[in-house]
Amino acid sequence: MVGRALSRAVRWAEAARAFEQLTGLSPENPAPLLALAQCREALHDQPGALAAYERAVAIAPDSPSVLFALGGSCLRAGKLDEAIACLEAAAATDPGRPEYRVNLALAHLKHGDLLGARRVFGELARRWPDLREVGELRSLLRRVSEPGA
């Protein structure tokens, strides 16, 4: 696939054009939109990336991986309410994916919701105690919980 080859070669603008063409050829498939969004992010076009992720969610609103992708993009863009909503939906739809909860905990933290972050962290720590991100989140939660932090 031309778009993937171009993105591997870090030719993001050309890859984005290839994926834009592919979205027209396969309008009911969210995969080219996700790839287009990743290209847009690599090009530092956050509005374009968000638009492509949102189009993918419109096609596949129950896909946890699509919701996770949009949630992560919203998290990076500082759209924290949207990030939390997407990541909550992704985690509820596919509860076996710890990365969904890691990003959800981070979104709660960035939003200033320490209780929400601790709730999600508790789920992570119970189900995946040996996960590297659990240790990182534990340290982060300790730092933000300390007086004067």
Side-chain angles (χ1 to χ4, degrees), residues 19 65 82 90 102 115 121 125:
F19 287 122
S65 62
E82 295 94 331
V102 169
L115 290 177
F121 169 77

Side-chain angles (χ1 to χ4, degrees), residues 69-89:
L70 176 58
S73 186
C74 288
L75 178 59
R76 290 185 292 280
K79 296 180 172 224
L80 301 176
D81 289 331
E82 295 94 331
I84 290 169
C86 288
L87 294 167
E88 286 276 5

Side-chain angles (χ1 to χ4, degrees), residues 6-142:
L6 291 169
S7 62
R8 280 193 298 274
V10 193
R11 294 168 56 186
W12 297 112
E14 293 173 66
R17 284 192 293 278
F19 287 122
E20 284 171 355
Q21 290 176 346
L22 193 53
T23 62
L25 297 174
S26 183
E28 59 286 328
N29 183 355
L33 285 165
L34 293 175
L36 173 60
Q38 292 168 346
C39 291
R40 293 282 179 228
E41 284 189 313
L43 292 165
H44 306 288
D45 175 9
Q46 194 64 39
L50 283 170
Y53 283 126
E54 288 168 353
R55 286 175 49 204
V57 168
I59 293 169
D62 297 323
S63 168
S65 62
V66 173
L67 290 164
F68 175 69
L70 176 58
S73 186
C74 288
L75 178 59
R76 290 185 292 280
K79 296 180 172 224
L80 301 176
D81 289 331
E82 295 94 331
I84 290 169
C86 288
L87 294 167
E88 286 276 5
T93 305
D94 188 353
R97 303 288 302 266
E99 64 271 24
Y100 296 174
R101 284 182 172 72
V102 169
N103 273 11
L104 179 57
L106 292 172
H108 279 293
L109 273 176
K110 280 188 163 187
H111 198 268
D113 178 9
L114 190 56
L115 290 177
R118 284 185 178 148
R119 175 187 54 81
V120 175
F121 169 77
E123 295 170 20
L124 275 164
R126 276 189 301 281
R127 293 188 67 191
W128 298 280
D130 298 326
L131 192 68
R132 177 183 51 86
E133 290 86 349
V134 168
E136 292 170 358
L137 277 170
R138 180 178 289 113
S139 296
L140 183 58
L141 284 167
R142 281 185 186 137

